[in-house]
Amino acid sequence: MNLCVLASGRGSNLKAIINARKSGNISSRVVLVVSNNSASGALLTAKKNHIPSIHLSAKLFVDQSSFDKEFLSLLKKFKIDLIVLAGYMKMISPAVTGKYKNRIINIHPALLPAFGGKGMYGMNVHEAVIKAKVRITGATVHYVDDVYDNGTIILQKEVKVKPGDDAETLGKRVLRTEHKLYPEAIKLLEENKVTLRSNKVYIKQSK
Ligand code: GRF
């Protein structure tokens, strides 16, 4: 599959996906990186790896529909099969979710539906987890629809909250899990092992 990764910040999940391809764990390739932030680590990582990248922000367009048009034409030009959100801080507009139905995925640093929704991003998530005194959190890969953190869940992995954890130590541990989980989900998708039926995901187990 040809992947387009959308990222706004650091881009460590982008790196994990690029490395998974380099080490042969996935066969999909990141062929385009898009960021709304010209100073993002993700754009830097793309350049270092000679992957076409673009700073694309709705602010640079007269309206949302001109932005969508440009984005859709890039997706077509690069023959994108799957849009991968990796720390992308913007909503994907219905014009795109409509055309790429069940072909957009996101990773969230908690066990959705817990600790998800508007405002639940970055350290806010881990701070809320610590405050709630839960003992288990984790990471979730899910399909993207028009509501924040709402699409059908593909994969989840638990991470223990240790006594003495703060948002930072917990966030680091969750991030390490994300870096394994995202390539795992991409592998399942590229091998056609994920079936969506009545908003439920069924995963074909390998023998
Ligand atoms: C990750 O924690 C991801 O779950 C969330 O945003 C963060 C992005 O981190 N959606 P990075 O930019 O991939 O390092």
Side-chain angles (χ1 to χ4, degrees), residues 39-90:
S40 67
L43 286 178
L44 217 63
T45 295
K47 286 198 180 84
K48 274 189 194 149
N49 287 277
H50 312 289
I51 297 168
S53 61
I54 182 163
H55 167 224
L56 202 67
S57 162
K59 287 185 199 148
L60 305 171
F61 292 81
V62 282
D63 54 20
Q64 183 66 37
S65 98
S66 335
F67 170 83
D68 292 342
K69 218 170 140 198
E70 175 67 14
F71 182 41
L72 283 167
S73 89
L74 278 169
L75 295 172
K76 198 169 168 198
K77 180 175 167 202
F78 284 87
K79 298 187 169 60
I80 300 302
D81 301 300
L82 185 71
I83 302 172
V84 178
L85 309 190
Y88 188 59
M89 301 299 284
K90 298 280 169 192

Side-chain angles (χ1 to χ4, degrees), residues 9-14 86-87 106-109 175 178-179:
R10 173 179 59 188
S12 70
N13 277 288
L14 166 66
N106 180 45
I107 189 155
H108 184 79
L175 195 62
E178 291 182 43
H179 294 163

Side-chain angles (χ1 to χ4, degrees), residues 164-175:
D165 259 342
D166 58 20
E168 203 169 312
T169 56
L170 180 62
K172 278 189 183 149
R173 197 171 325 112
V174 171
L175 195 62

